[in-house]
Amino acid sequence: MTQDVEMNDQPAPSNSVTSTGPSTLQHVKEIASLIETGAYAREVRRIVRAVRLTIALRKKLKASVISAFLTYTLTPGSDAHTRLSSYIPKDDELDMEVDTATSATQTPPAKHSLPELEIYSYLLVLIFLIDQKRYNEAKACASAGIARLKSLNRRTLDVLTSRLYFYYSLSYELTGDLAEIRGNLLALHRLATLRHDELGQETLLNLLLRNYLHYNLYDQAEKLRSKAPRFEAHSNQQFCRYLFYLGKIRTIQLEYTDAKESLLQAARKAPIAALGFRVQCTKWAVIVRLLLGEIPERTVFMQKGMEKALRPYFELTNAVRIGDLELFRKVAEKFSSTFSSDRTNNLIVRLRHNVIRTGLRNISISYSRISLADVAKKLQLDSANPVADAESIVAKAIRDGAIDATLDHANGWMVSKETGDIYSTNEPQIAFNSRIAFCLNMHNDAVRALRYPPNSHKEKESAEKRRERQQQEQELAKHIAEEDDDEF
Amino acid sequence: MDPKLTEVSQVFDRFKAAFVRKDFDTCSQLLSQLKVSLTGFKSLPPLFENTPNAIHELTLARDVYEHAVVLSVKIEDQDAFERDFFQLKPYYTDARGRLSPSPQEYPILGLNLLRLLVQNRIAEFHTELELLSPSALENPCIRHAIELEQSFMEGAYNRVLSARQTVPHETYVYFMDLLAKTVRDEIAGCSEKAYDSLSINDARQMLLFSSDQELLEYIREDHPEWEIKNSLVIFQRAKESAPCKEIPSLQLINQTLSYARELERIV
């Protein structure tokens, strides 16, 4: 299965670690204020940025920082505060002093009761617990957060909740109890659908697919996937995952052409930092291409950082390319542990048939006429009746269009047909047309995908003017409300 | 013991007795009766409630459905097989941790694989295969089905047919016979494309008929387009993609116009 790849573009913070205590806290507080403004202004973008910044801070999070942050955002003594603080281990007193000092200097903050901040606190604690490998506490914390979420319905929360769902599932996966939460995830997906929380639906659908695929339940996964509503992707990361799962399902169900498309797209769309994810995608894509009878180029296996992981697949490809059954068997045996940990063993068993096809194609190209006994020998068919086997295998290959030949039963020959001049047919014109269509489509898609910042023309009005406008609007609203009151 | 449970066990015992006697009509009747009474137990899927008798009830129910599957093979009812198998499946997957493994599990799973193969539902075949553990794949019953699928895909049809002699379980014979029919159709389809003509004698051997009469019958029914002349079966070959003589002008005009339109949009 895929390693859980954090597909967030982390700019790996390399600055000094010495200044952790107060400055990290400061950072977290900045993030909190970012969320706050985001929540007030209903700008989801800011919250997205806040989450991204948090991930960048991840390595620096400490128990002390978090408990200070909790005191800062949540009312001490409130439900959430006591619950969350109970997960945080009380240690490193040294830092604590610094924190009390900083929080003392703060003007006693007017306690924010924003649900966004509360959920954010849950998220922060959860990330911290997972990083500390306290999975059982993480599970408890995530469940508490999810329970709290159910009573909140705000679109500005969507980004935070989708992250919370993700870590909820991750914490269960790390302890190997994914099956337990399947029902909950389904219920959450339903809830997200009812609330039109598209990002949440997207995330939960992926989590569910992952959950099913973890137990190889391809049937259920496909049923859910085909029935769940789809819309334009909100998050590139989630879309990549979706494509990957889709590719896997289709591979298992023998829809190789579609599978190849999804897997390649997933590999291309994935951020550079998500190496593990891209390796997985490439592995599956290689097998699917082999199953389709294509031979992936050498450069596929030479991508930076992937050479070692893809080595078994490289040798496998080589065996298929030559069409040597013996070599294929050896490779499959040699790397069987890799293949079974990648869960591609069953797919490789399917490949045997392609090896025979390639071998047969090579024979058909090189000989214009060859006896079936020789074919059997060259393909190394070891069975009781190799000639009869070879005959029926060749017959099937002819029917499937893999080779262009005829059989002569009386003489026991296979006669290859001369390949006609392809340029005398419409074939080149069709190929040319499909390429042109592809290029034109690509251009159109690129044009359509151009994005402009929202309200860029309005941005020009100064902050002051905006405030004025907002004030006017508020007054207007008040008037209307008053008028409404007057009427009764 | 719970009276309801005792009652079901008694009915089941009668069912088993009838099963041994090969009295399949009585079996079917008793089976529907059993299925109805099984719905009364709360410990069974989908509820899976943890009642005191849960293990006992689950084991009994699993036993009932296992017999139901085998019965459906005996009375050669594929739809009933599918239904019963799906009812049985949760006992193998979801209740795996609570029950001791059944000796019938692998034969029945193999049987299901074989059924999917016969019905040519290869995608589902592979989906089911993914659910099996590596140790299960080594089991002779499962192995048998996997090897069949491979030979089938490769086109080594005589290997498929010879596998009939090595069936791991007597219930497999029914599906193997069905498979033989599928294989014959496949061979006919392949021969049609691969040979220009075959002598009647060879064709008979290849399509596994015991007499020329049967062969002629088969050709008349399934492949009326084959011609029989001078004790040769001549296959009417589909016309090859002949070199193109005519230029598909209308299509070309349409394409060129669309290029022009798109180009205009770009410039």
Side-chain angles (χ1 to χ4, degrees), chain B residues 5 13 16-17 24 27 53 57-58 115 123 134 176 207 227 235 237 248:
Chain B
L5 192 57
D13 283 337
K16 277 196 275 196
F24 295 136
C27 279
N53 283 330
E57 287 166 9
L58 281 170
R115 173 184 69 91
M176 291 307 289
L207 293 175
E227 210 178 316
F235 303 108
R237 324 202 78 214

Side-chain angles (χ1 to χ4, degrees), chain A residues 83-376:
Chain A
R83 193 179 304 129
L84 284 174
S85 320
S86 67
Y87 299 124
I88 306 291
K90 296 267 177 267
D91 51 12
D92 33 68
E93 289 146 38
L94 221 160
D95 277 350
M96 283 301 275
E97 284 170 33
V98 186
D99 290 336
T100 40
T102 42
S103 49
T105 53
Q106 290 281 333
T107 45
K111 284 301 173 194
H112 325 269
S113 51
L114 267 185
E116 280 83 2
L117 282 179
E118 188 185 337
I119 296 302
Y120 179 71
S121 314
Y122 273 108
L123 186 62
L124 202 62
V125 173
L126 185 54
I127 294 177
F128 169 75
L129 289 171
I130 289 176
D131 284 347
Q132 299 288 310
K133 305 209 176 354
R134 298 166 175 273
Y135 299 132
N136 285 324
E137 280 108 323
K139 274 155 79 173
C141 172
S143 309
I146 299 272
R148 176 81 184 91
L149 268 182
K150 284 188 181 157
S151 56
L152 297 170
N153 184 9
R154 290 166 72 113
R155 289 291 66 77
T156 39
L157 269 174
D158 288 353
V159 178
L160 294 169
T161 51
S162 68
R163 298 314 293 161
L164 197 62
Y165 296 146
F166 173 77
Y167 287 109
Y168 172 61
S169 167
L170 179 62
S171 60
Y172 276 81
E173 183 170 337
L174 289 170
T175 50
D177 311 308
L178 264 187
E180 264 175 46
I181 57 166
R182 203 176 293 150
N184 283 345
L185 289 179
L186 283 167
L188 286 171
H189 186 265
R190 198 162 51 224
L191 198 68
T193 313
L194 289 176
R195 288 177 177 175
H196 299 288
D197 170 6
E198 296 193 347
L199 186 62
Q201 285 178 58
E202 216 174 71
T203 314
L204 285 165
L205 181 62
N206 279 339
L207 291 175
L208 278 164
L209 290 181
R210 185 183 181 79
N211 199 316
Y212 285 128
L213 296 192
H214 187 81
Y215 297 96
N216 282 349
L217 297 166
Y218 288 94
D219 203 14
Q220 279 92 326
E222 170 58 20
K223 277 186 184 136
L224 173 71
R225 191 204 63 77
S226 56
K227 295 200 170 52
R230 283 296 303 160
F231 20 71
E232 219 173 306
H234 285 257
S235 140
N236 184 40
Q237 283 92 323
Q238 295 301 336
F239 191 50
C240 287
R241 289 204 175 94
Y242 176 77
L243 285 174
F244 176 59
Y245 299 140
L246 180 61
K248 277 174 92 165
I249 295 172
R250 285 180 168 164
T251 312
I252 296 300
Q253 304 197 327
L254 301 116
E255 296 166 25
Y256 299 134
T257 321
D258 296 341
K260 181 185 135 195
E261 204 173 292
S262 325
L263 288 168
L264 287 180
Q265 206 184 346
R268 282 192 201 129
K269 271 187 183 272
I272 306 289
L275 183 66
F277 180 80
R278 283 191 297 137
V279 168
Q280 285 296 331
C281 286
T282 318
K283 281 179 181 176
W284 279 75
V286 165
I287 294 195
V288 170
R289 292 182 67 181
L290 287 177
L291 282 167
L292 274 171
E294 298 173 20
I295 304 293
E297 311 79 18
R298 192 171 271 263
T299 45
V300 171
F301 301 97
M302 297 301 155
Q303 295 176 66
K304 214 169 151 240
M306 292 194 191
E307 299 95 337
K308 202 158 163 276
L310 292 180
R311 187 81 209 163
Y313 293 87
F314 176 65
E315 294 196 15
L316 197 71
T317 309
N318 204 24
V320 178
R321 189 175 58 87
I322 303 170
D324 183 341
L325 267 184
E326 189 52 38
L327 182 65
F328 173 73
R329 204 168 316 159
K330 267 192 207 142
V331 173
E333 224 162 82
K334 187 172 156 200
F335 296 109
S336 67
S337 61
T338 322
F339 294 144
S340 60
S341 70
D342 287 343
R343 304 209 212 171
T344 46
N345 240 343
N346 285 336
L347 295 177
I348 286 165
V349 172
R350 290 191 209 169
L351 266 180
R352 190 187 129 85
H353 154 70
N354 286 61
V355 180
I356 295 178
R357 278 280 157 87
T358 331
L360 200 59
R361 205 175 304 144
N362 288 345
I363 294 173
S364 137
I365 291 169
S366 359
Y367 298 86
S368 59
R369 191 169 71 189
I370 184 169
S371 79
L372 289 169
D374 284 343
V375 172

Side-chain angles (χ1 to χ4, degrees), chain B residues 53-114:
Chain B
N53 283 330
I55 299 294
H56 201 105
E57 287 166 9
L58 281 170
T59 320
L60 183 70
R62 186 178 67 184
D63 223 13
V64 169
Y65 286 121
E66 277 173 355
H67 277 82
V69 169
V70 179
L71 177 71
S72 67
V73 177
K74 299 248 161 145
I75 56 174
E76 310 196 343
D77 185 346
Q78 291 189 35
D79 292 336
F81 181 96
E82 189 168 352
R83 266 196 314 274
D84 291 331
F85 179 77
F86 280 127
Q87 276 176 315
L88 177 61
K89 215 173 150 195
Y91 296 90
Y92 290 148
T93 51
D94 299 348
R96 176 171 286 277
R98 297 163 68 190
L99 299 180
S100 53
S102 150
Q104 290 295 315
E105 179 169 350
Y106 292 137
I108 286 184
L109 289 179
L111 210 53
N112 183 47
L113 288 177
L114 204 56

